[in-house]
Amino acid sequence: MINVTKTYLPNKEKYQKYVNEIFESGWITNNGPKVKELEKRLAKYLGVKNIVLVSNGTTALEIAYRTLDIKGFAITTPFSFVATTSSLVTNGILPIYADIDAESLNINPNNIEKLITPNTSAIVPVHVFGNGCDVEAIESIAKEHNLKVIYDAAHAFGVEYKEESILNYGDISTLSFHATKLFHTIEGGALIINDDQLAQKARYLINFGIENAESIPHLGTNAKMNEFEAAMGLCVLDEMQEIESKRKAIYEIYENELKDIVQFQKQNEYSSKNYSYFPIVFESEVELLRVQKALNEENIYPRRYFYPSLDTLDYIEPKQICEISRDISKRILCLPIYPQLENEMQDKIINIVKGVLS
């Protein structure tokens, strides 16, 4: 079975060495040495000031909202993984959807300002498939209306904008380190926070709100990363150059072979690529379903990502209609891309897509 992605497993002997060290120390959670080492190395690798590791990417979003005291309404995108919305709802924040740009697939800044009300406290954009948002336009709107900006950067590991980390934009950026991501820690996530005081507050919040043995000033939760996950992250980080190189090669083959028959996501000219996904947009949903069926018959399983558009969710009231997001979500498919994907299998995928569309 060929899925849309496959977990990258690093050198087993190196991971075992870390596991042996964990067993020797007996320290498996509660901000252990491996977590501290990974935070330090990731901050340097990504070019960010403060990184707070957590148990998963959804929790990272929830901690970001609590750190910034987000309440009321938050303007966000309907074209994302459901966690972008569900993390707001479970924290008592109402998502207000601004429709996307049909080419970049990111939230369209031109649709944000008209949705701002006195109850709006934040903007929550997504760097969709790692493609950088129009961060300057969003920042300008946020400053004018005194709003916080939390970027869901789950797909944007290693992405640069004008030659610096895109994670440095906004009040907080969050990452997902799920097993299927470009960089992973089995399960996990992170918050990128430039403000030192906010970073310290986030550290309290991920540990039940505890400041010290005698003080619990915040309403927190348990969102800590453990040592075994951090060890996986240290191993994967060592091999990122090889991971990115292989993904880039696969991405460019798809791009060259399919450029004349499907639509691609338009890249932000100032944003680098990390080759984490390869989405293609068809002329119609009927066309997509034909390609999907043909691939499935060969045991190949691309993903309708993102589908459905989040503005169609039953638990979101009042209902909003984002026509572009709904349209794109019906016509977009992510093809398999991961370092272990063999050339022959990629050729087969390409030939099936071409054959159906010819």
Side-chain angles (χ1 to χ4, degrees), residues 11 26 50 69 78 93 102 130 141 151 223 227 252 284 337 339:
N11 182 279
N50 297 302
D69 296 317
I93 305 162
I141 294 168
Y151 280 104
E227 289 290 272
E252 290 179 345
S284 68
I337 181 169

Side-chain angles (χ1 to χ4, degrees), residues 17-258:
K17 177 178 176 292
Y18 282 126
V19 169
N20 291 341
E21 291 173 358
I22 295 169
F23 270 76
E24 288 169 10
S25 72
W27 193 347
I28 64 173
T29 189
N30 290 340
N31 201 29
K34 297 287 181 287
V35 167
K36 292 175 182 176
E37 182 183 354
L38 183 58
E39 284 189 344
K40 183 177 179 180
R41 286 188 55 192
L42 279 174
K44 182 178 180 181
Y45 181 87
L46 295 171
V48 299
K49 187 177 182 183
N50 297 302
I51 181 165
V52 180
L53 296 177
V54 293
S55 52
N56 60 67
T58 305
T59 298
L61 285 167
E62 294 180 350
I63 295 297
Y65 308 145
R66 296 187 192 186
T67 300
L68 295 170
D69 296 317
I70 305 303
K71 293 178 174 51
F73 301 167
I75 297 171
T76 189
T77 172
F79 190 71
S80 181
F81 184 61
V82 67
T84 310
T85 282
S86 62
S87 60
L88 288 165
V89 176
T90 55
N91 280 272
I93 305 162
L94 180 66
I96 304 296
Y97 296 115
D99 210 349
I100 62 172
D101 177 81
E103 294 183 327
S104 74
L105 310 184
N106 288 327
I107 193 170
N108 187 335
N110 295 329
N111 295 330
I112 293 175
E113 200 154 17
K114 61 187 177 183
L115 297 172
I116 297 172
T117 74
N119 290 322
T120 307
S121 59
I123 306 171
V124 184
V126 178
H127 301 302
V128 174
F129 304 127
N131 185 28
C133 289
D134 187 343
V135 293
E136 276 131 352
I138 292 169
E139 181 179 15
S140 176
I141 294 168
K143 282 186 176 179
E144 182 177 349
H145 296 276
N146 195 29
L147 302 177
K148 301 296 184 183
V149 179
I150 301 100
Y151 280 104
D152 182 340
H155 293 174
F157 184 90
V159 171
E160 293 188 340
Y161 182 86
K162 294 185 177 179
E163 300 184 346
E164 73 163 280
S165 176
I166 201 164
L167 304 174
N168 287 321
Y169 286 86
D171 295 279
I172 297 178
S173 289
T174 68
L175 290 165
S176 170
F177 298 153
H178 184 263
T180 57
K181 291 294 189 289
L182 175 69
F183 168 86
H184 78 92
T185 58
I186 306 172
E187 285 279 3
L191 297 93
I192 310 300
I193 310 174
N194 285 323
D195 185 287
D196 292 341
Q197 288 186 324
L198 286 177
Q200 188 58 62
K201 181 180 178 182
R203 292 189 186 282
Y204 297 148
L205 289 175
I206 70 170
N207 187 34
F208 306 98
I210 297 171
E211 186 171 312
N212 56 54
E214 298 178 354
S215 177
I216 310 174
H218 306 286
L219 174 61
T221 187
N222 182 10
K224 301 183 296 293
M225 179 179 286
N226 67 57
E227 289 290 272
F228 294 97
E229 290 171 331
M232 178 62 74
L234 289 167
C235 290
V236 175
L237 190 59
D238 283 340
E239 299 175 22
M240 280 307 300
Q241 186 173 354
E242 179 184 0
I243 293 169
E244 290 175 351
S245 176
K246 289 181 177 179
R247 281 181 170 272
K248 181 181 179 182
I250 295 167
Y251 186 104
E252 290 179 345
I253 290 171
Y254 275 141
E255 195 171 45
N256 290 332
E257 293 292 330
L258 298 175

